[in-house]
Amino acid sequence: MEVGAVKVGFIGIGTMGKPMAINIIRAGYSLIVNDVNEQAVQELVKLGAQKAQNPCECAQQSDVIITMLPNNAIVEQVLLGENGIFAGAKPGVCLIDMSSVAPSFTQKMAKRAAEKGLGYVDAPVSGGVKGAAGGTLTIMVGGETELVNQIRPLLEVLGKKIYHVGPVSSGDAVKVVNNLLLGINMAAVAEAFTLGTKLGINPQTLYEIISVSSGNSYALTAKMPNFVFKDNFTPGFSIDLQYKDLELAVQTAKELKIPMMLMNVAQQLFEQARANGLGKEDISAVIKPLEELMGIKVRL
Ligand code: NAD
């Protein structure tokens, strides 16, 4: 089918969804959007998108529907709620959930979709706002091969590295593991740098040496120079979302009866930051309660 003839529904045009939706318009697809935030909808309408009053209306008019929403509960509401996607989608339509949600949740939703004759693919992403804006996201995909091949051209508009991991929910499984590591690494970098600074070492010196030594990580190189050192905690990726992703890992491990030590400690450090009112700040703000405790600041 010609790109222009494919109508893409997009629900959840937030921090990540907005630049992704813009890339879909630029690639020549016809786009219909829905979000509870009217201002976000109007920005997309100005760029040529059509507005749907609710997810049901969006689904009725779409050949393929992308959701990019905060969490399990909201995805469930948008899919199954009154005026939800399931109420409007035509049989044969493919739903692509790009939100970060639990694998077991996706399995439940995919089963419900199959009962309605709808395709279901999980395709969570990594790469942040920069990756979303540049169309360079890493996309982890779970779903039937035929379905994934059908939607691949659309995913290629959004991402550079697209991995078809396996059956439905396996993209979410990789994403949960990835963000578990990000959470643990970020908490570890924060703790280590408060110790180093308390020992009187200049944070820049610590950074220069560790970034070329065995303590290096993405959390270090992406977050210390651009956020903590500059006292800039505008997300980026928020403490609340990282906490939610650790909760996905906690829930998943509980379902499987797997003890996960570091995961729970890291989650408590993010809980502490939330308790201090830092939920909307960048994940690197997890360092702030530790700085307070040690009476130092890791700034340049
Ligand atoms: P966000 O909160 O900025 O955007 C979510 C959007 O969903 C908002 O525009 C909100 O108004 C909309 N929304 C909420 N409830 C709705 C409803 N009932 N109906 C319609 N729209 C609704 O979140 P985000 O940062 O864009 O993240 C989206 C997903 O992507 C999350 O699952 C997140 O974990 C994941 N993710 C985020 C990043 C990042 O760097 N921000 C990176 C990778 C993955």
Side-chain angles (χ1 to χ4, degrees):
M1 209 193 296
E2 281 293 308
V3 165
V6 179
K7 195 147 190 180
V8 180
F10 203 111
I11 303 178
I13 38 182
T15 312
M16 294 293 285
K18 186 164 80 175
M20 290 163 71
I22 291 172
N23 284 337
I24 292 172
I25 295 178
R26 286 193 184 138
Y29 288 93
S30 163
L31 190 75
I32 176 161
V33 294
N34 172 256
D35 197 292
V36 288
N37 177 355
E38 181 60 23
Q39 197 189 330
V41 170
Q42 285 313 321
E43 274 182 59
L44 265 291
V45 168
K46 275 193 202 129
L47 296 173
Q50 191 189 327
K51 170 185 167 174
Q53 293 297 344
N54 52 50
C56 176
E57 190 183 302
C58 186
Q60 279 166 344
Q61 298 182 43
S62 303
D63 302 309
V64 56
I65 304 153
I66 295 176
T67 41
M68 190 54 171
L69 294 160
N71 54 44
N72 291 9
I74 293 177
V75 174
E76 182 162 357
Q77 187 197 334
V78 165
L79 288 174
L80 303 179
E82 202 187 333
N83 290 322
I85 291 176
F86 280 22
K90 296 165 283 194
V93 159
C94 181
L95 314 183
I96 311 172
D97 184 26
M98 304 192 77
S99 326
S100 304
V101 294
S104 58
F105 168 77
T106 288
Q107 284 164 16
K108 263 196 313 199
M109 293 302 117
K111 197 160 167 262
R112 298 285 291 264
E115 285 161 12
K116 289 211 136 237
L118 305 170
Y120 202 98
V121 169
D122 52 303
V125 307
S126 184
V129 183
K130 205 169 153 202
T136 58
L137 292 165
T138 297
I139 310 182
M140 304 146 226
V141 189
E144 287 169 17
T145 303
E146 201 183 320
L147 211 50
V148 174
N149 288 341
Q150 259 176 41
I151 61 159
R152 191 177 279 276
L154 180 57
L155 296 181
E156 283 170 350
V157 169
L158 304 172
K160 268 247 158 12
K161 296 191 182 106
I162 295 153
Y163 296 94
H164 181 200
V165 184
V168 77
S169 86
S170 48
D172 287 332
V174 176
K175 177 66 180 168
V176 165
V177 172
N178 180 75
N179 280 35
L180 165 60
L181 272 173
L182 173 61
I184 292 172
N185 287 343
M186 188 69 249
V189 169
E191 193 172 83
F193 268 68
T194 45
L195 174 65
T197 306
K198 188 79 180 173
L199 286 168
I201 312 294
N202 183 301
Q204 181 65 31
T205 307
L206 273 177
Y207 179 78
E208 278 172 22
I209 297 171
I210 294 170
S211 62
V212 292
S213 300
S214 47
N216 194 18
S217 66
Y218 169 86
L220 176 76
T221 55
K223 294 300 178 182
M224 297 311 281
N226 300 323
F227 291 83
V228 177
F229 290 176
K230 290 185 179 161
D231 202 24
N232 163 32
F233 294 96
T234 308
F237 185 52
S238 72
I239 294 252
D240 278 342
L241 282 178
Q242 177 63 74
Y243 180 85
K244 180 263 303 184
D245 286 344
L246 285 165
E247 186 59 23
L248 294 178
V250 167
Q251 289 305 327
T252 303
K254 279 186 181 165
E255 285 162 17
L256 298 171
K257 297 192 171 64
I258 296 178
M260 301 282 284
M261 317 302 174
L262 297 176
M263 170 175 85
N264 283 292
V265 174
Q267 193 190 27
Q268 287 310 301
L269 288 165
F270 285 97
E271 186 74 290
Q272 187 177 21
R274 276 153 55 93
N276 288 12
L278 302 170
K280 301 283 175 268
E281 296 199 2
D282 187 72
I283 55 166
S284 49
V286 76
I287 201 168
K288 287 185 175 178
L290 300 168
E291 290 176 332
E292 218 175 294
L293 201 68
M294 296 203 212
I296 46 103
K297 280 200 171 185
V298 184
R299 304 285 180 278
L300 295 188

